[in-house]
Amino acid sequence: DAGITQSPRHKVTETGTPVTLRCHQTENHRYMYWYRQDPGHGLRLIHYSYGVKDTDKGEVSDGYSVSRSKTEDFLLTLESATSSQTSVYFCAIRGQGEGSPLHFGNGTRLTVT
Amino acid sequence: AQSVAQPEDQVNVAEGNPLTVKCTYSVSGNPYLFWYVQYPNRGLQFLLKYITGDNLVKGSYGFEAEFNKSQTSFHLKKPSALVSDSALYFCAVRPSNDYKLSFGAGTTVTVRA
């Protein structure tokens, strides 16, 4: 799957705890994205990165932060998990070619109890 | 800001019949348009894209899509559906001068034998 690994694949955590999801790519792509998928909403962009240490907010960024200290890794942190953040989280990467599509990882299913 | 509408939550067709999944979009400037498919418990797979040029684009697994600028639509089509085409389909758009890709809510396609 385009050299993208998400970890963990599944996680159950309690309300109020911090959680970090990791996305690792072996494609050396510049652009990386975090989306969440919820029924009836499709995929919604949380944060994205256009280079090392260059990140920006998406449409549902409240309660989330990201870091990208090297090209291959893009971390998503839920600062204090809430039940509304129970979701499936997808990482995606994109090359620099004009109109290059996103390629997605297999997702992380997060449950906040 | 850009947006995507997939007006049908579900599409049901018989195997061998034509399949159409509808998508309309709103974007400032020139659109880059994409279709993705998601099988159960998997990530999203890229099917096809429209960047510029011929309004009819062909993609993977026999799918094609027609870009209609005046109607701001990008409908996905397949002349003869297979049971294995049963999946969740997403339309997505981003402006040519932006990083962010926005998705529709998705359409569940069921092809009955």
Side-chain angles (χ1 to χ4, degrees), chain B residues 26-97:
Chain B
S26 173
V27 69
S28 299
N30 294 321
Y32 288 168
L33 293 153
F34 303 84
W35 276 102
Y36 287 83
V37 60
Q38 185 180 34
Y39 299 101
N41 300 315
R42 299 293 304 275
L44 279 73
Q45 297 179 27
F46 167 69
L47 277 179
L48 50 78
K49 67 180 180 181
Y50 172 82
I51 304 303
T52 186
D54 194 349
N55 289 344
L56 184 65
V57 294
K58 295 184 182 297
S60 306
Y61 312 120
F63 283 94
E64 58 190 27
E66 186 167 13
F67 170 65
N68 188 316
K69 186 173 183 178
S70 63
Q71 297 185 5
T72 61
S73 67
F74 189 56
H75 301 330
L76 180 70
K77 300 180 181 182
K78 187 170 184 181
S80 179
L82 301 173
V83 172
S84 57
D85 294 328
S86 298
L88 181 56
Y89 290 81
F90 291 99
C91 181
V93 67
R94 73 174 175 93
S96 59
N97 60 353

Side-chain angles (χ1 to χ4, degrees), chain A residues 33 35 37 94 98 102, chain B residues 32 36 38 94 99 101:
Chain A
Y33 302 77
Y35 285 87
Q37 182 178 13
R94 179 169 74 87
E98 186 77 11
L102 270 63
Chain B
Y32 288 168
Y36 287 83
Q38 185 180 34
R94 73 174 175 93
Y99 304 126
L101 186 66

